[in-house]
DNA sequence: CTTGACTTGTGATATTATCACATATACGCC
DNA sequence: GGCGTATATGTGATAATATCACAAGTCAAG
């Protein structure tokens, strides 16, 4: 997993590349990446940060898709369900997954200044969490790990 | 930190004990644990699970306190701010802290069956998360770590 | 007692999320 | 290619969660 998020990178490439992988993944798994769903993923990728469902909806509506909340929520739910996007509970928002297909258990680093969201590798984190849980007899099925703070760019400003 | 949550325990004692420590803490830190705030903490302790703000509000209103959302939200915010309660973002809910005063960085284990919430020790988890973040140049200020799964009681049923 | 900070009550409103049901589209099968 | 079924979408309504703004009350220091 590449920690690209906070480094300068060719963003248009990052969009295209992730989108390409997402489409390949969809075909491979017989997922129906319909126009709305695909467009929502594109919108998230373009924004490159977490977006609320209503922000996404506004974009969709402006482009001729439905303008009622379920339109956005259903597409976002689909993307999250299939690992193409992530839900950031702390922000009541969603963000495109930068590593679709790769089995990954992300932790999210949320900059409180610029609202950027990065996926950090959380394999170690999850192992530690699993150990803590196991000690209590608890079986973890899903988890969300989110951190708020300052990204390197905002720290130096 | 005692992992009491999922074990059978004298719940009335647990309530009283935590409440007692909370009051001591409040006095020590010159916090104003007013009637509403104290009552909210009691309500959370009695429930011994995560409660939504509106559930708390309903209880408060029934007891003669204000019946508008800010009444509950303000008290809950105060408790969270001062480490007497925690916010569970995954549930849009709040739960009393079982370890007030003790510096602790909890992870929450949420049972999807019985909705109980336990605080697990997350020192190791947080260390791992900090390392991941530091590798990206990100400075963590606050974080929330929540896991959804099955508690030992519900697993055997 | 007066002042100023903090707290509470209350009405209104904003934001986030889900439900219900009709219509339309895609897919598997013949 | 038709047919029936599952899936997806559009749409209106509503639920659930959270915040704002301002008036009134409380408390403690000086
Ligand atoms: Zn991801
Ligand atoms: Zn930043
Ligand atoms: Zn705690
Ligand atoms: Zn349980």
């Amino acid at each position: 997993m590449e920690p690209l998020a906070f480094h300068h990178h060719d963003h248009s490439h990052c969009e295209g590349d992730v989108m390409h992988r997402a489409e390949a993944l969809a075909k491979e798994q017989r997922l129906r990446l319909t126009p709305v769903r695909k467009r929502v993923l594109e919108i998230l990728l373009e924004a490159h940060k977490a977006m609320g469902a209503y922000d996404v909806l506004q974009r969709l509506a402006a482009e001729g898709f439905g303008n009622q909340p379920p339109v956005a929520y259903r597409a976002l739910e689909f993307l999250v369900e299939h690992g193409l996007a992530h839900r950031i509970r702390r922000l009541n928002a969603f963000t495109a997954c930068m590593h679709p297909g790769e089995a990954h258990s992300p932790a999210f680093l949320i900059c409180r200044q610029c609202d950027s969201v990065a996926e950090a590798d959380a394999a170690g984190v999850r192992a530690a969490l699993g150990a803590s849980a196991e000690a209590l007899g608890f079986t973890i099925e899903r988890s969300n790990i989110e951190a708020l703070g300052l990204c390197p760019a905002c720290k130096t400003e």
Side-chain angles (χ1 to χ4, degrees), chain A:
Chain A
M1 189 154 101
E2 287 284 307
L4 52 78
F6 291 138
H7 300 140
H8 287 108
H9 56 282
D10 180 348
H11 184 51
S12 63
H13 167 70
C14 137
E15 274 174 50
D17 185 39
V18 173
M19 194 67 211
H20 196 269
R21 276 187 281 159
E23 286 182 306
L25 189 69
K27 178 174 286 183
E28 181 187 333
Q29 299 187 6
R30 309 283 190 276
L31 302 181
R32 295 174 60 180
L33 196 54
T34 61
V36 211
R37 291 168 177 174
K38 184 176 172 185
R39 189 70 194 106
V40 169
L41 182 52
E42 285 170 358
I43 289 171
L44 290 179
L45 283 169
E46 285 165 15
H48 207 298
K49 61 177 192 172
M51 293 183 74
Y54 279 75
D55 296 331
V56 172
L57 177 59
Q58 203 170 341
R59 300 294 269 339
L60 290 177
E63 299 176 17
F65 294 99
N67 68 336
Q68 297 296 316
V71 172
Y73 278 101
R74 285 194 287 231
L76 289 166
E77 182 185 27
F78 173 89
L79 294 174
V80 170
E81 189 109 348
H82 295 92
L84 301 175
H86 297 291
R87 184 169 197 163
I88 313 294
R89 310 213 75 116
R90 179 142 206 150
L91 301 177
N92 292 323
F94 301 82
T95 188
C97 176
M98 292 295 130
H99 309 276
E102 308 173 36
H104 68 300
S105 45
F108 298 101
L109 306 178
I110 307 163
C111 180
R112 64 167 162 78
Q113 185 101 19
C114 68
D115 284 335
S116 69
V117 175
E119 290 184 43
D121 178 31
V125 179
R126 227 157 274 256
L129 183 55
S132 282
E134 195 167 7
L136 298 177
F138 187 96
T139 304
I140 294 179
E141 295 172 349
R142 338 169 62 80
S143 58
N144 56 302
I145 299 165
E146 303 171 2
L148 193 70
L150 275 185
C151 77
C154 292
K155 209 159 28 178
T156 58
E157 278 165 16

